[in-house]
């Protein structure tokens, strides 16, 4: 079982402890290559997402790898927090969420879930989510875009057991439906609607050359 580094298990303060989990384990089947390694503005997508997460949570950041995990880890180095490898990554996103939450459930008061394929998400948006959650750390705080609630999203400690029980039958749509049923607080960010499924998606938002890979 993965254990948190001592620095991440520092003496608790009166402020709620938020950890970020960057989900970068997927097979990228529609992309046709290792999507996590495709470059956006000169940086691999996984590393870009991790840097944004670290700007908010520093060493309280978890990188969840799976498909080509070693290469993704190298592309993100150095990392301020730690890595969790999901050997069950073929079971889908739900298994990566479960692995990430299980690694920090006894240290965190809340978890911020981010995907590696939403490159237009910025630090400002994550900071606003965190501020809303810190004011009432028992609630879910989700990103609102395209008329729905989605990721990035912050889940409180009271839901960690549910997150750790996620299995392959929980597709992303099912998880999103469960989140909506909990009536999350929402903060709008239309940039979250841009996710990278195919190389042309990345080419559309790149300002320089077509996507390349490490």
């Amino acid at each position: 079982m993965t254990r948190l580094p001592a620095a991440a298990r520092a003496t608790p303060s009166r402020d709620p402890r938020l950890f970020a989990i960057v989900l970068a384990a997927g097979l990228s089947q529609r992309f046709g290559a290792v999507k996590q390694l495709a470059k956006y503005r000169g940086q691999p997508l996984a590393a870009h997402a991790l840097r944004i997460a670290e700007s908010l949570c520093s060493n309280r950041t978890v990188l969840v790898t799976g498909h080509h995990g070693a290469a993704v880890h190298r592309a993100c180095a150095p990392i301020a927090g730690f890595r969790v490898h999901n050997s069950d990554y073929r079971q889908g996103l739900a298994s990566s969420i479960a692995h990430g939450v299980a690694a920090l459930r006894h240290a965190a008061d809340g978890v911020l879930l981010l995907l590696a394929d939403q490159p237009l998400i910025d630090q400002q948006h994550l900071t606003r989510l965190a501020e809303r959650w810190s004011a009432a750390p028992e609630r879910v705080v989700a990103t609102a875009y395209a008329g729905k609630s989605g990721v990035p999203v912050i889940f409180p400690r009271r839901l960690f057991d549910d997150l750790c029980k996620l299995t392959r039958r929980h597709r992303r749509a099912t998880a999103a439906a469960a989140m909506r049923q909990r009536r999350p607080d929402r903060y709008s960010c239309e940039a979250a609607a841009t996710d990278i499924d195919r190389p042309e998606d990345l080419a559309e938002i790149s300002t320089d050359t077509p996507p390349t890979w490490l």
Side-chain angles (χ1 to χ4, degrees), residues 99-121:
H99 274 73
V101 174
L104 52 77
R105 60 184 300 174
H106 298 299
D109 295 308
V111 293
L112 167 64
L113 300 182
L114 301 92
L115 301 178
D117 64 356
Q118 288 179 303
L120 300 187
I121 294 294

Side-chain angles (χ1 to χ4, degrees), residues 117-122 125 143-146 151-152 188-196 205:
D117 64 356
Q118 288 179 303
L120 300 187
I121 294 294
D122 59 17
H125 177 63
T143 299
Y145 56 92
V151 285
S188 179
C189 180
E190 288 302 323
T194 299
D195 61 351
I196 307 303
I205 63 170

